[in-house]
């Protein structure tokens, strides 16, 4: 029986014993939390010792909504247009893509990701100038829009008939009715899974992602739409676990297409794949659907019309009420929750209505259905979120004004709504189980210390902004303890794993993250500069700075 002694300033997130100086781990599970003197008495003579001195030990941090395959793919398989941060500089994009092609001349297919659109409209001609002999695709940072060169349009089969089928809001055309290269929403999510990749490629991407997550202090994540990029991603996860190569626990939501024809059959499919492929480190826990797109692409489903486009309130993707209710009910029968992309206020209002009607059938307010992003939310829907036991997955890193997207928000929905965006405190006040998410790599940061900072300040630190300050909606700021809960025990509840992880308690899995900072009491500017010391999974160091 392997034993490990842990010394340090332990913040447990256990209300009964919030602080300790030592812990004892046996075979990857906590068997004692308390004093250093007592641990020494209980441990065997050959116990391993991990002494972190005056550093601070937290339960292993968890990310509620990210995209593992996509993260690894963007890290080592694509041209990353977000190098150095978000930008709308098309000349810079051109140089990054050309450099990537020059480094990878053997590839027959190129993808660039991280594009942030601006007022300058670009078409396939922009990409044809960069690469005309092979398919080249450029995807937005948010992942909901894409530009294709002429060769990529041919590869994808996007022609005038395709554009007519999907509609010209989703497949843009030129004056001759021919696709000009720009697509968004449904067509993007139809095409992305067709991008060439073998299972071995995906495994390479997932291992790169695992290294990134562990070296950022995360020990468990929610993969929101594990099949979105490639249908073989679950198989790749499963094979990696069978090979003993997974350390990062992944709780996966399987992608469900818009207004799926047969929700009951879809849940049966997901349940069968759960039985076949789930294990300790990769576990399928429900379906994930897209209700809408994103405000900056004019596709977030709003409660009102876009100011610059009267009569249009965004893209309603999964908008069949009866099918969504059936999906929720069938998922509940299998012990699953439903996870949705719900960016605009109209999408959130719709989803909560579906959950309320499903709960009349199931009587289950502990299903813990997840609504992620929550850009604009009414006071009524904040209350309904808590009343239905739904989980608000909120993005503290998106809350400040210091982003090129903010000006687009103002133009599209107005100053008042833009300035009241991204509630967090209101969800806590209503009694909801709030969790943080980064949406990495759709958003370029997945950062524990900056999540705590932005949740309190509603702004980035000066080191990020260059000295300028631009806080937004300060009344939605929350406490440090609330932030810690939103990345530990509350995420464990989302995964229905609060009995196994999320706090440092007897009998729970010994996942921990060590920083050189007291996130509860140190000055907030020091929090922004905190350094990760180690990440521990099952009582073993998997990353050390």
């Amino acid at each position: 029986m392997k034993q490990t002694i842990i010394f340090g300033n332990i913040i447990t997130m256990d209300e009964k014993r919030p602080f300790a100086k030592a812990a004892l781990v046996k075979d990857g599970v906590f068997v004692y939390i308390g004093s250093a003197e007592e641990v020494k008495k209980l441990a065997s003579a050959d116990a391993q010792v991990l002494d972190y001195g005056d550093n601070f030990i937290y339960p292993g941090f968890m990310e509620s909504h990210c995209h593992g395959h996509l993260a690894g793919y963007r890290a080592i398989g694509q041209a990353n247009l977000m190098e150095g941060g978000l930008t709308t500089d098309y000349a810079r994009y051109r140089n990054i893509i050309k450099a990537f092609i020059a480094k990878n001349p053997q590839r027959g297919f190129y993808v660039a990701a991280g594009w942030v659109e601006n007022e300058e409209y670009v078409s396939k001609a922009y990409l044809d100038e960069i690469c005309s002999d092979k398919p080249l695709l450029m995807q937005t940072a948010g992942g909901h829009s894409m530009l294709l060169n002429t060769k990529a349009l041919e590869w994808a089969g996007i022609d005038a008939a395709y554009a007519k089928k999907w509609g010209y809001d989703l497949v843009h055309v030129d004056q001759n009715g021919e696709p000009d290269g720009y697509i968004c929403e449904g067509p993007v999510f139809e095409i992305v899974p067709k991008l060439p990749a073998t299972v071995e490629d995906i495994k390479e991407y997932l291992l790169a992602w695992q290294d990134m997550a562990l070296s950022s202090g995360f020990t468990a994540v929610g993969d929101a739409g594990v099949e979105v990029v490639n249908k073989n991603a679950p198989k790749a996860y499963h094979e990696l676990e069978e090979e003993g190569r997974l350390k990062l626990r992944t709780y996966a939501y399987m992608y469900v297409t818009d207004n799926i024809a047969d929700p009951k059959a879809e849940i049966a499919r997901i349940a069968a794949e759960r039985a076949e492929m789930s294990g300790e480190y990769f576990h399928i826990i429900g379906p994930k659907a897209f209700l809408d797109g994103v405000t900056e692409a004019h596709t977030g489903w709003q409660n009102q019309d876009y100011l610059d486009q009267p009569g249009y309130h965004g893209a309603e993707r999964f908008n069949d009420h009866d099918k969504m209710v059936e999906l929720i009910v069938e998922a509940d029968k299998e012990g699953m929750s439903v996870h949705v992309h719900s960016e605009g206020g109209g999408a959130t209002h719709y989803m909560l209505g579906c959950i309320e009607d499903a709960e009349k059938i199931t009587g289950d307010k502990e299903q813990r259905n997840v609504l992620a992003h929550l850009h604009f939310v009414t006071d009524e829907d904040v209350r309904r979120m808590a009343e239905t036991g739904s989980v608000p997955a909120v993005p503290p890193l998106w809350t400040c004004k210091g982003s090129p997207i903010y000006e687009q928000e103002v133009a599209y929905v107005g100053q008042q709504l833009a300035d009241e965006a991204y509630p967090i405190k209101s969800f806590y006040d209503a009694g909801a189980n709030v969790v943080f998410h980064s949406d990495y790599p759709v958003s370029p940061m997945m950062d524990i210390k900056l999540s705590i900072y932005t949740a309190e300040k509603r702004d980035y630190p000066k080191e990020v902004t260059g000295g300028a300050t631009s806080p937004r909606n300060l009344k939605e700021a929350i406490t440090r303890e609330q932030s810690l809960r939103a990345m530990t025990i509350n995420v464990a509840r989302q995964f229905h794993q609060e009995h196994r992880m999320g706090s440092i308690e007897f009998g729970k899995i010994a996942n921990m993250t060590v920083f050189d900072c007291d996130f509860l009491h140190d000055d907030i500017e020091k929090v922004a500069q905190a350094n990760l010391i180690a990440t521990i999974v099952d009582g073993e160091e998997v990353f050390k700075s």
Side-chain angles (χ1 to χ4, degrees), residues 36 196 237-238 292 443 448 463 496 532 538:
Y237 270 117
H238 176 64
D292 64 345
S443 290
I448 292 163
E463 291 77 15
H496 292 266
L532 177 66
D538 301 333

Side-chain angles (χ1 to χ4, degrees), residues 347-360:
T348 297
H349 188 76
Y350 154 84
M351 185 62 184
L352 291 171
C354 295
I355 293 172
E356 287 171 340
D357 286 351
E359 288 180 351
K360 293 173 186 175

Side-chain angles (χ1 to χ4, degrees), residues 57-315:
I57 302 168
Y58 303 89
F61 284 95
M62 289 182 265
E63 159 69 43
S64 72
H65 176 113
C66 61
H67 306 280
H69 174 199
L70 184 60
Y73 186 24
R74 288 193 177 178
I76 62 176
Q78 298 181 335
N80 181 10
L81 302 179
M82 289 189 284
E83 290 176 1
L86 290 174
T87 177
T88 59
D89 187 343
Y90 291 136
R92 182 178 167 195
Y93 294 158
R94 184 183 293 111
N95 291 335
I96 292 172
I97 296 170
K98 284 184 174 180
F100 184 82
I101 292 173
K103 289 179 182 177
N104 299 276
Q106 78 285 357
R107 295 190 182 211
F109 205 101
Y110 297 104
V111 179
W115 167 33
V116 178
E117 301 171 72
N118 63 17
E119 66 278 358
E120 178 186 354
Y121 188 81
V122 288
S123 68
K124 59 188 176 185
Y126 168 77
L127 294 184
D128 284 342
E129 183 272 327
I130 300 171
C131 178
S132 61
D133 61 333
K134 297 177 182 178
L136 169 61
L137 303 89
M138 184 170 77
Q139 193 167 11
T140 50
H144 288 254
S145 302
M146 180 180 282
L147 188 67
L148 297 84
N149 72 352
T150 299
K151 286 289 186 181
L153 288 170
E154 294 172 359
W155 163 81
I158 297 177
D159 55 16
Y162 186 94
K164 185 176 181 180
K165 181 188 78 170
W166 277 99
Y168 302 128
D169 286 332
L170 303 185
V171 181
H172 291 195
V173 297
D174 60 22
Q175 63 270 26
N176 298 317
E178 293 296 325
D180 69 4
Y182 183 91
I183 63 174
C184 62
E185 298 307 331
V188 172
F189 288 86
E190 179 179 79
I191 288 166
V192 166
K194 298 177 183 178
L195 296 174
T198 67
V199 172
E200 291 303 314
D201 289 336
I202 299 169
K203 287 161 73 171
E204 184 181 357
Y205 301 149
L206 292 176
L207 290 174
W209 153 243
Q210 175 173 262
D211 288 344
M212 293 162 59
L214 295 173
S215 65
S216 299
F218 291 93
T219 60
V221 300
D223 195 320
V226 68
E227 305 155 293
V228 167
V229 179
N230 192 291
K231 65 180 181 180
N232 285 321
K235 181 179 180 182
Y237 270 117
H238 176 64
E239 288 188 7
L240 286 172
E241 175 151 16
E242 292 285 291
E243 295 162 9
R245 300 167 74 188
L246 287 186
K247 301 173 184 175
L248 179 73
R249 283 176 170 83
T250 297
Y251 294 89
Y253 298 92
M254 305 290 273
Y255 177 48
V256 171
T257 55
D258 303 351
N259 295 327
I260 187 76
D262 189 340
K264 184 174 182 178
E266 184 69 355
I267 294 299
R269 173 189 76 87
I270 294 171
E273 295 196 11
R274 176 182 62 180
E276 178 185 352
M277 288 187 281
S278 287
E280 177 61 33
Y281 296 91
F282 174 71
H283 192 70
I284 295 168
I285 61 173
K288 185 268 177 80
F290 287 90
L291 303 185
D292 64 345
V294 290
T295 296
E296 64 268 21
H298 270 106
T299 53
W301 176 358
Q302 311 298 344
N303 280 313
Q304 71 294 322
D305 291 348
Y306 282 81
L307 293 179
D308 63 335
Q309 202 168 340
Y312 171 76
H313 61 256

Side-chain angles (χ1 to χ4, degrees), residues 385-404:
M385 188 84 69
E387 288 179 351
T388 56
S390 302
V391 176
V394 299
L397 291 167
W398 302 0
T399 55
C400 84
K401 295 179 182 178
S403 163

